[in-house]
Amino acid sequence: MTSGITKYLFAGFGGQGVLFIGKVMAQAAMLAKRQVTWIPAYGPEMRGGTANCSVIISNKRIGSPTVGKPDIALVMNEASYQKFIASVVPGGTLYVNSSIVPDLPGRDDIQVVRVPVNDIAHEIGEAKVANIVMLGVIQALTPTLEDEILIKALVELAGKKPELADLNSRAFKAGIEYARKHV
Amino acid sequence: MTSGITKYLFAGFGGQGVLFIGKVMAQAAMLAKRQVTWIPAYGPEMRGGTANCSVIISNKRIGSPTVGKPDIALVMNEASYQKFIASVVPGGTLYVNSSIVPDLPGRDDIQVVRVPVNDIAHEIGEAKVANIVMLGVIQALTPTLEDEILIKALVELAGKKPELADLNSRAFKAGIEYARKHV
Amino acid sequence: MAMLMKGNEAIAEAAIQAGCRLFYGYPITPSTEIPEYMSKKMKSSGGTYLQAESEVAAINMVYGAGAVGERVMTGTSSPGFSLMQEGLSYLFAAEIPCVIVDVMRSGPGLGGLGPTQADYFQLTKGGGHGDYHGIVLAPASVQEMVDLTKEAFDIADYYRNLVIVAVDGILGQMMEPVEFPPYQGRKLSPKTWAASGAEGRPKNNVISYYLTPDLGESENLRWGQKISLMKESEQRFSEYLMDDAEFAFVAFGTSARITETAVDMLREEGIKVGLFRPVTLWPFPEKGLSARLPQIKGLMSVELSSGQMVEDVKLIVNGQAPVGLCKRQGGMTPEPEEVVDAFKKQLLGRGQG
Amino acid sequence: MAMLMKGNEAIAEAAIQAGCRLFYGYPITPSTEIPEYMSKKMKSSGGTYLQAESEVAAINMVYGAGAVGERVMTGTSSPGFSLMQEGLSYLFAAEIPCVIVDVMRSGPGLGGLGPTQADYFQLTKGGGHGDYHGIVLAPASVQEMVDLTKEAFDIADYYRNLVIVAVDGILGQMMEPVEFPPYQGRKLSPKTWAASGAEGRPKNNVISYYLTPDLGESENLRWGQKISLMKESEQRFSEYLMDDAEFAFVAFGTSARITETAVDMLREEGIKVGLFRPVTLWPFPEKGLSARLPQIKGLMSVELSSGQMVEDVKLIVNGQAPVGLCKRQGGMTPEPEEVVDAFKKQLLGRGQG
Amino acid sequence: MKTIFTKTSGLTERPFHYCPGCTHGIIHRLIGELLEEMNLIEKAIGVAPVGCAGFCENYFSCDMIGAAHGRAVAVATGAKRARPDRFVFTYQGDGDGASIGLAETVSAAARGEKISSIFVNNAIYGMTGGQMAPTSLVGQRTSTSPYGRDAVTMGFPLDLPKILTQVEGAVYVASVSVESPQAIKETKKALRKAFQIQLDGLGYSFVSILSTCPTNWGVDPVEALDWLTTKMKPYFALGELKTPALEGGSNS
Amino acid sequence: MKTIFTKTSGLTERPFHYCPGCTHGIIHRLIGELLEEMNLIEKAIGVAPVGCAGFCENYFSCDMIGAAHGRAVAVATGAKRARPDRFVFTYQGDGDGASIGLAETVSAAARGEKISSIFVNNAIYGMTGGQMAPTSLVGQRTSTSPYGRDAVTMGFPLDLPKILTQVEGAVYVASVSVESPQAIKETKKALRKAFQIQLDGLGYSFVSILSTCPTNWGVDPVEALDWLTTKMKPYFALGELKTPALEGGSNS
Amino acid sequence: MKNVVKINVERCKSCGLCVHTCPKKILKIGDKPNSKGFYAVEMTDQSLCIGCAFCGLICPDLALEIYREEKGE
Amino acid sequence: MKNVVKINVERCKSCGLCVHTCPKKILKIGDKPNSKGFYAVEMTDQSLCIGCAFCGLICPDLALEIYREEKGE
Ligand SMILES: Cc1ncc(C[n+]2csc(CCOP(=O)(O)OP(=O)(O)O)c2C)c(N)n1
Ligand SMILES: Cc1ncc(C[n+]2csc(CCOP(=O)(O)OP(=O)(O)O)c2C)c(N)n1
Ligand code: SF4
Ligand code: SF4
Ligand code: SF4
Ligand code: SF4
Ligand code: SF4
Ligand code: SF4
Ligand SMILES: [Mg+2]
Ligand SMILES: [Mg+2]
């Protein structure tokens, strides 16, 4: 998070919506008039394969858009945990979807935050928004931008679907609340 | 014809057999254990277009196989006459098929030999061997190899067709005779 | 107003804004967003998107539309670009303006979907037969993809030459905020040469052959003059902290972005380095780089390939300074730290010694 | 016993003698004598000639036959060679040995039927995508076409790499006396990797992709090692009057033949020139040329192109001596006199001054 | 315990990478079973396409070659001519075989190449994320026909098996499907016949199989079976379109 | 004096480069006449192939584009989509259209491109000196089938018009010939219909014309007419194989 | 005599094709995710199974094997 | 009324197709080569010509034009 630059990595199965929350972050950063880049990476499989994206939010012009050592990483499944835990920058934060990822050996020099986002999403009544719940958690614990601006981005990306915007906002807030209460 | 190297150019319509008499020369040179190269050049048309070939016969290893300035050139049609007369090396010889090529402005610094080879071939009874008649003329006036070796080459290239070999030999000799008598 | 857009989509939108009304393409990862965007937007822009049966067909459709004088584009990725090589050679010879996008993916062979710059030779030297060149533009941000794509059409028409926009898979897939200033094209002469139907004028032929070697040579010399003119006039580059630099990185596209960060890191250590970024890969910006040589103790090419552009760098440096290479291959990109390390190992010792 | 043979036919005969039992090709002037010869002779040699529907199909048939472990060849000319570029990149990545003949004709585009060397970049830098190289053999006489074609098959099998025999149209069409000494192939290991049917062994896959960038990089590095090994071991060249030469011509194929005569002419004038003839265009014989540099005051590349090989020459000379260029294009060849003149104009003045 | 149904040794142990419910897997299994039943595992050389099935060399127990996109038939031709004693088959998608590889397919058929092609028609480009295929139906929305395939500007679905009936060297042409156990059994029969025709040296054999792509059709796997049945089957000519006994085809 | 027969303004004054007796010239004249009669000279864009007709842009009075070998249909597609108001035709040999360009031809037909293709089938590769074409007859000797085309190893002649009847977007498919004044008149009729179909915007129209190549067949021009009549006509399906009125074709 | 459907939970992708195809409707999607996150199919009443193997035939992922236990086994 | 076949000697390639096709057999290959070396076709008896234009239709090289002289012309 040196010199006003934050690097994110969001990883999981295809279908878990990690690319989407990266987009929300990026959109929000743009709305906040920050510099931003978003890069996706997919595995060769169509579904069930791995997917991840890197987001950089910065106050100054962004050189390298790739994120080798994220400040903040999110892993939604076990494979991503195994793959990325070592890359988090010392002092950084790793968010783990504990609904799916078992309790595995961690690291001492980073913060590991385990959140059962699938279960939380289930409670809200829509399993698909586990990703947004996690976005809320991240926002609560390691915010880079204002809450409002993230919600605005969420609404914008929902396009012309107000129910979706609503659902997403609820999931986002549920994440924030959960984090404030439990972590 | 400097340093035991002779450069030939044979040019005409496709179908006039200029490539063939080049091959005969080349084959003969090889039989005589001389160094030799043969290069064809065609126009883009299938028939009736221009065709020519360059032959180099040499006592030593042949560098450039292209013939920009032939020592001995043969033109079987008017287009070739126009195209190549300027290229003949000073002191060289230009053979012209006078059955087809009209009497056109020549050059003083080269020998121009006009022979009505179509007519001669006609007399032998086979219009197609005009090219071989011309080969005989060339052999008579500017020989590089022995008569016998050229005849041998002619026979070899006739393959398994003795009548053809015979016809070709007759045409060749007719050319020699004509040259000795008329030129 | 800025909007967040993928590089591939930005290219497609920029093309439409530049008056491109025909897109012929065949899908291939990681360039597929280009045809997808075109299939969505062309119709309402009064243009035509057509999915070709192959890249070979696509480039020849481009040839047809370009020959009748319309603005036309195709987009593909490396294996598809390889299939277009005969077509590119023909487009050059027939002097048909057009724009081709190559979103490079890692090879050789089917390879992988990761980013690469290993088509550099194919792009710049001519992967097809004969002496020819396309102008090759290499943007390094989504905004530059917009700006250069628009220009590409003008340049193509101006010279009657193919123009290639070359990016790696990262740039094609990356989202950045981007703006679309109104397009103001160059003033160009009407395409009187086009085979667009001979209404009210003598007939035109647009062909790519010559009947005799003499003609072939004179055509090639004429094209050679055009090549020289393009070489003279179209070199583009961008510099980062080069004014007082004692060492220069040379890099384009994504690797230039990564190198920019490496430059920052080295500058923090007090080492005077800068980045020379070719914006045209062909013509290589040799004037710009040559101008910097007197101040430079060493150069390093940073590439997503086994080292291809480094040859062009060496040709310009011509022995006047050491030239290093930092590379990653097969879809990998270097971290800025790696670039720093490579620099220190290969150049810093030597340059100072 | 010597026989008079066209270069193209000599290549075809040599291939058969080297155990090539499969030829897939598509006719194109000036290489057509190769498929024609094969169609006549393959059957009685127990092999197969098959006319493909296109060059794209031909190179992929080659891929299939090579993948099952058989000796296979194709032959084409420049536009057809351009169509094979995707295939070449795949052949390299799948490490399939094979031999490809390019009888160059003048381009770009449909161009003409005259000789050229303007496929040099495409041949040596890789006209397809990604980092790869084929070994490129450039004979300069019909005899050498025989000898190198035979070797090509051995080299291909030894490295599991594509080998290209590159000649211009003159060499392909030229007749010279030629001999066929009995073929004695290299000792080669059996092709245990081939996908020839898994009888009695675990199954084999012959593929050209990798699933992740990590794997992509390690594959590319492995191929890079092979490339280094080929570069180290397979450089070939031939010299003419180089021992005491103060100036060197660099030329291959037909232009080398022409230059040989120019060397003779200059030597007659007492000027100490020689000819350095690359026999492998890739790997370029840089060791051989470098070894001569200390004695050399200037070099001149003689090419049937706008000047492509001259870049490789310059990369080696690296500023140590002036490098000139004598070129003809579009199907034209220089007369030896022209080479002499160009030399005098570009180098003699400078080299002595 | 009697085995009624189990995995064939014609397939490796590796789980498929295909999306849930994608019928590529069913077709793989049928081929694997035939490789085993017809004793071809050690004799076969399969050619993989580029497409979703581009990794199928991991699944079949025989030797495999991975071809460039669209060139599987050319690669197979090259391989078969080199080893006429081998059994050579291609496995290709509709984009691979009917778009970029169309010339290769039809030309090999014309030459009567002694190979067998399995053509998996899912009316879309699966691997690249759902673009229009030559076989996409009129009206079908894909990522490159977002407003639906419009016959006037984008043309009509290409019926490759129907075309091949007009090509003399194609001696067996079948068009089958996999939406039900019955259809799957028919498909296996057709494949067996196609393979046998190659073994008998009669010429080119071609089996087109209608298949699903739930992911890119945007429906669930069961709905996909239904889409196949109600939308695809009516358009494409089905059955044994041409057999060695029945030259000229049943569609005329 | 009344003119019964004279040169059309649809052709330039330039003499043809074709070999003596080559019927490419007759076909050129028919096209030239139709360009004039249908008032298309200023509206037409022709696409030349690579092949003996590769220089035909010199002969037609309209604008012309020279395509790469086999790609004329793709070039024409590109041109027509760019200028739908123009009349766009291709002129191609059998190698150009049915071998290297097969995918382009069939795919354009499937898309129903509003262009007209004239396909000159002389059963050989003329320009390159007489190699086997996809249309060469079984037993025919060519420079790459020196022992005669053998159906078992080289396959069967490809009947492209017959194939195209199975392609929905091809709305007019005719197979005609030029060995006699009657045949020439029929050919002109077919060409006129094909052109009109494009002008009416109905879809792809394709006219295959059997033609001679005395040079590479190794016969004199008059014998060549006979060879065409007695050898080629019996093999290739002739007539209007598919017309807009008669969907499905007359050959079924 | 009893028919046994063996479910390879790790291979199952929860596509539901077998559920849809089984004439006896005795298969259902389970509620425990496997290691890949797929809810594997489950047998509801093995005794009703007629051993028709339709489920195996339609399963694209080779997740099912079907056996018949002979009497007395 | 008289039909006139105008022969463009320079365009004629001596292929003989018109000779073969003329129903009246009044055309023949001549014996004077044109500038390209081709022996152009000649009319043997113009008065027999019926003006059917078959010769013009079959001539691949546009070497023939056919006119009808109206009576009294
Ligand atoms: C030359 C080339 N062009 C394009 C691609 C991208 N590509 C890969 S697979 C594919 C099409 C896949 O569709 P299909 O053949 O129908 O197979 P499916 O995935 O539907 O089974 C395409 C266009 C490529 N790999 N190579
Ligand atoms: C890519 C490519 N391959 C091959 C050729 C060589 N070539 C030129 S024309 C031709 C075939 C000509 O035959 P056809 O199309 O039947 O026309 P024809 O000459 O018989 O009228 C070939 C193979 C080429 N020019 N380009
Ligand atoms: S994308 Fe479609 S065809 Fe490909 S695996 Fe998924 S469902 Fe199957
Ligand atoms: S080669 Fe054949 S097709 Fe070509 S012009 Fe001559 S006769 Fe006609
Ligand atoms: S074997 Fe038949 S009855 Fe038994 S579970 Fe499978 S489909 Fe149902
Ligand atoms: S068909 Fe196979 S993969 Fe699908 S739910 Fe049933 S057992 Fe699982
Ligand atoms: S017009 Fe008829 S009759 Fe007269 S010359 Fe011609 S073909 Fe013969
Ligand atoms: S048909 Fe024409 S070219 Fe042939 S002989 Fe008659 S007039 Fe001459
Ligand atoms: Mg598909
Ligand atoms: Mg032909």
Side-chain angles (χ1 to χ4, degrees), chain A residues 46-47, chain E residues 17-20 22-24 52 122 124 126-127 212-216:
Chain A
M46 283 305 303
R47 240 181 218 179
Chain E
H17 69 282
Y18 300 106
C19 303
C22 172
T23 50
H24 265 303
C52 280
N122 56 11
I124 207 147
M127 147 152 282
T212 67
C213 178
T215 299
N216 289 304

Side-chain angles (χ1 to χ4, degrees), chain D residues 11-23 38 42 45-48 69-73 99 149-151 153-154 157 183-185 191:
Chain D
I11 284 179
E13 176 60 31
I16 293 176
Q17 293 194 12
C20 170
R21 286 294 168 272
L22 296 144
F23 183 92
M38 290 300 196
M42 259 304 187
S45 313
T48 298
E70 299 297 316
R71 286 201 158 176
V72 56
M73 179 161 113
V99 176
T149 299
K150 287 182 180 174
E151 270 216 69
F153 285 92
D154 283 354
D157 281 345
Y183 166 66
Q184 289 163 331
K191 297 180 176 176

Side-chain angles (χ1 to χ4, degrees), chain D residues 22 24 48-54 56-57 60-61 63-65 67-68 70 86 90 194-209 211, chain E residues 12 14 41-45 50 54-55 57-58 60-69 71 74-75 77-79 81-83 86 103-104 107-108 111 113:
Chain D
L22 296 144
Y24 304 118
T48 298
Y49 160 81
L50 183 66
Q51 191 164 308
E53 58 272 31
S54 71
V56 172
N60 285 289
M61 291 176 182
Y63 184 98
V68 305
E70 299 297 316
E86 189 205 29
Y90 271 75
S196 52
E199 222 151 5
R201 58 153 171 78
K203 86 191 218 75
N204 283 333
N205 292 332
V206 177
I207 59 168
S208 79
Y209 71 85
L211 280 179
Chain E
T12 65
R14 186 124 157 197
I41 295 173
E42 297 205 324
K43 195 184 165 178
I45 301 169
V50 180
F55 315 120
E57 79 283 348
N58 292 315
F60 296 115
S61 301
C62 59
D63 276 7
M64 295 288 299
I65 306 172
H69 186 39
R71 316 306 172 193
V75 169
T77 298
R81 296 279 182 152
R83 292 298 302 265
R86 295 314 193 193
E104 282 77 4
S107 300
R111 287 192 308 265
E113 295 296 342

Side-chain angles (χ1 to χ4, degrees), chain G residues 2 4 7 17 23 25 32 39 48-49 57 61 64-65:
Chain G
K2 195 185 144 199
V4 180
I7 301 169
L17 296 193
K25 299 293 165 208
K32 278 184 266 51
Y39 294 80
L48 295 178
C49 173
L57 276 174
D61 283 287
L64 304 174
E65 290 176 298

Side-chain angles (χ1 to χ4, degrees), chain B residues 46, chain F residues 17-19 22-24 52 122 124 126-127 212-216:
Chain B
M46 282 306 303
Chain F
H17 69 281
Y18 301 105
C19 302
C22 173
T23 50
H24 265 304
C52 280
N122 58 11
I124 207 147
M127 149 152 281
T212 67
C213 177
T215 300
N216 288 303

Side-chain angles (χ1 to χ4, degrees), chain E residues 121-123 135-141 157 177 179 210-211 217 219 223-238:
Chain E
N121 177 0
N122 56 11
T135 50
S136 293
L137 301 180
V138 171
Q140 187 180 341
R141 280 170 204 264
S177 182
E179 78 284 0
L210 303 185
S211 184
W217 293 355
V219 296
E223 285 165 11
L225 295 184
D226 187 54
W227 200 89
L228 188 161
T229 311
T230 58
K231 307 266 167 128
M232 290 180 78
K233 289 184 84 167
Y235 185 84
F236 294 103
L238 287 172

Side-chain angles (χ1 to χ4, degrees), chain H residues 51-62:
Chain H
C52 65
F54 281 10
C55 54
L57 277 175
I58 202 89
C59 173
D61 283 286
L62 302 163

Side-chain angles (χ1 to χ4, degrees), chain F residues 18-111:
Chain F
Y18 301 105
C19 302
C22 173
T23 50
H24 265 304
I26 300 174
I27 301 168
H28 279 33
R29 195 192 63 236
L30 298 180
I31 295 169
E33 287 171 2
L34 288 169
L35 290 176
E36 179 183 351
E37 292 165 21
M38 299 175 80
N39 222 345
L40 294 172
I41 296 173
E42 297 203 327
K43 194 185 167 180
I45 301 169
V47 183
V50 180
C52 280
F55 315 120
C56 72
E57 79 283 347
N58 293 315
Y59 309 132
F60 295 115
S61 300
C62 59
D63 276 8
M64 295 288 298
I65 306 173
H69 185 38
R71 315 305 172 193
V73 172
V75 170
T77 298
K80 179 77 181 193
R81 295 279 183 154
R83 292 299 301 265
D85 58 321
R86 296 314 195 191
F87 173 80
V88 179
F89 70 95
T90 71
Y91 186 106
Q92 300 174 266
D94 42 1
D96 200 81
S99 189
I100 188 168
L102 183 57
E104 281 76 5
T105 309
V106 178
S107 300
R111 286 192 309 266

